[in-house]
Amino acid sequence: MTLPTEEEDQPGTPKWRRVRRIAGWTSGVLIGGPLIAFWVAYLVLDVRSPQEVLAGLDKTVVLQYADGSELLKVVPADGDRRFVPYAQVPAKLRDAIIATEDPTFWDNQGFDPTGIGRAFLTGVGGGSGITQQYIKKSTGDEDATLGRKFAELVLATKITQEQNKEQIFESYVNIISFGRGTFGPAAAMNAYFGKPLDESITWSEAAFLAGMIQSPSVHDPAASGDGHATRRWQYVRDKLVSRGYVRSDEPMAYPGNEIQPPSETRAGRVTYDEFHVKQQVLAELEQDGFPLGRLQQGNMTVETTLDRARQDAAKKALRNRLHGAPKEFRGAVVAIDPATGAVRAYQGGEQGVRDYAGTPHALGTAFHPFTLAAALRRGYGLDQPIPAPSKLTFLGETFQYPDVCGPKCTPRSAMETHADGPFIALAKKLGPEALSEAARQAGIPDAVDGVPTLREKDGFLIGAGIAIGRYPLRPLDVAGAYATFANDGRRATPHLVSKVRDESGSVVWEHHDSAAPAFGDEGTSRRVAAQVTETLRGDGGPAALRTGEAEHGNSPDYQDAWAIGYTPQLATAVWIGSDDERRLKDASGRKLTGDSVPADVWRAFAAAAGPPR
């Protein structure tokens, strides 16, 4: 090998000229390449007008059962796309939208450099301002990719140079969805409040409408309840105050009593149980990057996981058992394939727009299998002696129950006799965090609609109530968590959407199964699930079933009752309760228990659902 001489290493030599030439070309490519690409994209890409976008939204979205037969159609309603000029958008609504969605709108250059940088580094998009949101909605491309972010940057720059801020806001506010099939503020004001859009709008109404934009299928109180909608409204109100649009002492209240039921249910276009399915499916798709507007622009078809026969069986079982029951009784049924998390039946009730399958209710003593799972993970055996106190204090709260487990109580006998004292004693021994962790490992989500689960109202502390299932959980999540026991300890995410197809029939999105061991490694998860199932089988039959009740305050009566059971092929949760927290008694005057009405519904559904399809 010949080493370079000292002269050859000096600047100005042929070697150094080659280095400078290569460096120059490299710099030119790195700097000039993106500039040329930006210039070409600027010339080629164009922003669609809001009128053109709205015209493309008049398309029906079809929801199908898992077998491809039609479940229902999301049909655009007449008159819900009225274009509103900027000057006719009330100042309060305009300020509420800007305060919530893009507080720097009047001053920024139309795009968020942080979001572009995040997409460049990670391939995942970030929060977008009003101009970028308009670009996404107008193109129908909301994928969080670097290519989409680059096109968004180009178009945001172009529209900012070609239009003033008033024109951009006008375009944006007319093509965004406020939920309930509406696009634009006039349609939204009519859909939610039954009023024309004018300057008489209140700050409370403006805050409510502005809060719908982020995720309308989730924030609509008809989908998630007034509790969730109130929290979203409060978030917008706080933004209005902190950004100086509204004084902190401005009298404002959540306008719950003014909000109308969805017109599609009032008009009878869909039944209440169909409405619940539609809302749950649209909310799930929204989280996966397919809001209703995108589905409509693409004339897309959604294949759900629902089984037509099982859906009908759930409806019939619930309707038949509630016939003749007290008028305040409400119910829900959710059935899930444990291996995949696919929801095979979703029945949220027929009494109104409130979806009881997607509404949290106190789980009560049906929480005890999660306490047992926590104990098994820490080395307890099914036949190991455990305390069975009739009275004990846990985290400052005193509990007193009759001793039904006997002097030789074990986790197995405590579960079989529905004893409460032993599980509270286990909770005290293990600690509340261990119980919460076991439930989350099984599949209870950390939060629902932004609200932490299995926590006190502060969102952090876990109180003594976890030992008796005081914290409310959705039947959808409970069915999914019990399904983990049915699936040998492997947890799959519950979902109602299988595939999304474009108008040509090509699959543009598909759910991918991702079941994984829930309680640690494969062996531990399998052991924990098998032992929990063993205690729930009781008579050794093919199905494991747990019934339970949630107490009404400190009374001996119950306000919620459950029956949750499974085979390896299907996990089903049945809830019976009411619209509010009250003592419930059945038609014969006996207090409601899980082994009465809920168990009857569960068995009727299980008999009709039959073997897997």
Side-chain angles (χ1 to χ4, degrees):
M1 181 176 69
T2 303
L3 297 175
T5 65
E6 186 176 339
E7 290 77 9
E8 289 174 323
D9 279 336
Q10 298 301 315
T13 62
K15 174 186 175 182
W16 275 100
R17 285 195 293 272
R18 285 196 302 272
V19 171
R20 287 197 301 271
R21 199 160 46 242
I22 293 171
W25 277 106
T26 302
S27 299
V29 170
L30 292 176
I31 298 173
L35 290 176
I36 293 171
F38 186 95
W39 178 74
V40 171
Y42 190 96
L43 294 176
V44 173
L45 298 176
D46 215 344
V47 183
R48 299 168 68 200
S49 71
Q51 290 85 353
E52 186 181 354
V53 175
L54 290 173
L57 291 172
D58 288 312
K59 297 177 181 177
T60 296
V61 177
V62 177
L63 272 56
Q64 298 177 332
Y65 285 105
D67 63 3
S69 60
E70 185 176 304
L71 169 60
L72 59 88
K73 291 178 179 177
V74 183
V75 181
D78 294 331
D80 65 353
R81 289 162 178 75
R82 286 162 284 173
F83 189 87
V84 181
Y86 175 83
Q88 294 178 22
V89 180
K92 289 176 182 176
L93 180 57
R94 181 189 64 219
D95 292 344
I97 291 172
I98 290 174
T100 308
E101 295 296 317
D102 190 357
T104 66
F105 171 71
W106 296 114
D107 304 312
N108 64 42
Q109 297 303 305
F111 59 87
D112 174 19
T114 303
I116 302 295
R118 187 184 302 112
F120 180 77
L121 293 173
T122 67
V124 178
S128 300
I130 282 175
T131 307
Q132 286 174 271
Q133 287 186 49
Y134 175 69
I135 299 302
K136 285 190 290 188
K137 302 296 182 185
S138 65
T139 59
D141 185 359
E142 302 197 32
D143 293 328
T145 62
L146 180 58
R148 195 269 292 169
K149 275 291 182 183
F150 177 73
E152 187 179 294
L153 169 62
V154 173
L155 290 173
T157 303
K158 189 170 185 176
I159 194 175
T160 302
Q161 292 180 349
E162 294 179 348
Q163 299 182 22
N164 60 38
K165 289 289 186 175
E166 288 79 4
Q167 290 173 309
I168 293 172
F169 184 86
E170 177 184 88
S171 298
Y172 161 79
V173 80
N174 278 287
I175 70 166
I176 54 172
S177 172
F178 288 82
R180 300 192 176 183
T182 66
F183 291 85
M189 190 68 182
N190 180 64
Y192 289 102
F193 299 107
K195 299 178 182 178
L197 182 71
D198 54 36
E199 292 296 336
S200 68
I201 189 173
T202 66
W203 276 119
S204 295
E205 293 166 342
F208 177 87
L209 293 181
M212 290 297 104
I213 293 172
Q214 183 208 55
S215 187
S217 293
V218 174
H219 297 322
D220 186 347
S224 300
D226 279 312
H228 172 85
T230 300
R231 289 188 294 272
R232 179 62 183 166
W233 178 89
Q234 185 66 51
Y235 171 85
V236 178
R237 182 192 182 280
D238 291 345
K239 293 295 183 186
L240 284 167
V241 171
S242 66
R243 288 163 180 164
Y245 292 99
V246 173
R247 299 190 319 273
S248 59
D249 60 350
E250 178 81 29
M252 290 176 64
Y254 170 70
N257 293 333
E258 304 169 37
I259 300 169
Q260 301 187 129
S263 60
E264 59 189 311
T265 58
R266 296 198 307 272
R269 286 168 52 191
V270 295
T271 60
Y272 285 124
D273 58 308
E274 289 173 335
F275 176 77
H276 301 147
V277 168
K278 189 201 83 169
Q279 291 296 103
Q280 192 67 33
V281 167
L282 291 181
E284 188 175 306
L285 285 166
E286 207 164 275
Q287 300 300 315
D288 290 323
F290 284 85
L292 179 58
R294 184 178 183 182
L295 295 170
Q296 289 176 317
Q297 285 189 57
N299 199 23
M300 295 181 182
T301 298
V302 178
E303 182 182 309
T304 73
T305 60
L306 296 173
D307 180 296
R308 179 190 285 272
R310 285 172 171 160
Q311 184 73 352
D312 291 343
K315 181 175 183 175
K316 183 177 180 180
L318 195 59
R319 175 187 287 173
N320 288 351
R321 187 58 183 85
L322 291 185
H323 180 71
K327 66 180 187 312
E328 63 268 20
F329 274 29
R330 303 288 184 266
V333 180
V334 180
I336 291 177
D337 180 343
T340 64
V343 177
R344 299 307 186 192
Y346 187 93
Q347 177 58 237
E350 300 181 273
Q351 291 85 0
V353 296
R354 186 175 182 184
D355 176 6
Y356 299 103
T359 303
H361 316 281
L363 188 56
T365 53
F367 187 85
H368 289 343
F370 301 124
T371 304
L372 175 59
L376 294 171
R377 276 207 64 207
R378 283 154 181 78
Y380 280 76
L382 286 183
D383 299 307
Q384 174 182 336
I386 58 173
S390 58
K391 182 178 181 179
L392 80 163
T393 300
F394 174 46
L395 295 179
E397 186 171 348
T398 299
F399 296 92
Q400 188 166 359
Y401 297 100
D403 179 10
V404 297
C405 195
K408 296 182 180 180
C409 190
T410 65
R412 186 195 303 276
S413 60
M415 190 70 75
E416 290 173 351
T417 58
H418 284 245
D420 295 302
F423 286 104
I424 299 172
L426 279 176
K428 185 172 183 178
K429 181 75 173 176
L430 297 168
E433 286 287 353
L435 273 61
S436 174
E437 180 187 20
R440 297 195 189 290
Q441 288 175 325
I444 299 300
D446 292 340
V448 173
D449 298 335
V451 179
T453 59
L454 301 177
R455 293 282 190 273
E456 294 295 314
K457 290 183 179 179
D458 63 9
F460 296 99
L461 294 176
I462 305 176
I466 195 169
I468 57 170
R470 190 176 291 154
Y471 297 124
L473 299 171
R474 301 186 302 177
L476 174 63
D477 300 322
V478 173
Y482 269 68
T484 299
F485 298 132
N487 193 33
D488 295 327
R490 293 179 64 82
R491 181 183 65 246
T493 304
H495 59 282
L496 282 88
V497 180
S498 175
K499 297 183 180 82
V500 178
R501 301 179 188 273
D502 62 20
E503 55 189 334
S504 70
S506 300
V507 175
V508 295
W509 184 89
E510 184 172 6
H511 177 86
H512 294 287
D513 298 335
S514 56
F519 305 107
D521 59 42
E522 190 85 45
T524 301
S525 297
R526 184 180 291 273
R527 175 181 61 81
V528 169
Q531 291 181 317
V532 170
T533 299
E534 189 178 332
T535 68
L536 298 182
R537 268 209 180 108
D539 59 3
L545 176 63
R546 172 69 189 188
T547 60
E549 306 82 25
E551 298 173 347
H552 176 71
N554 295 320
S555 77
D557 295 318
Y558 303 126
Q559 66 183 35
D560 299 276
W562 297 77
I564 314 154
Y566 54 85
T567 65
Q569 294 79 31
L570 203 64
T572 305
V574 176
W575 167 84
I576 300 293
S578 65
D579 283 320
D580 50 14
E581 297 179 359
R582 62 164 75 189
R583 294 178 176 89
L584 292 178
K585 298 183 183 298
D586 63 20
S588 63
R590 295 173 299 185
K591 65 181 181 180
L592 178 68
T593 60
D595 58 6
S596 59
V597 181
D600 291 343
V601 175
W602 191 92
R603 293 189 180 97
F605 170 75
R613 295 175 176 82

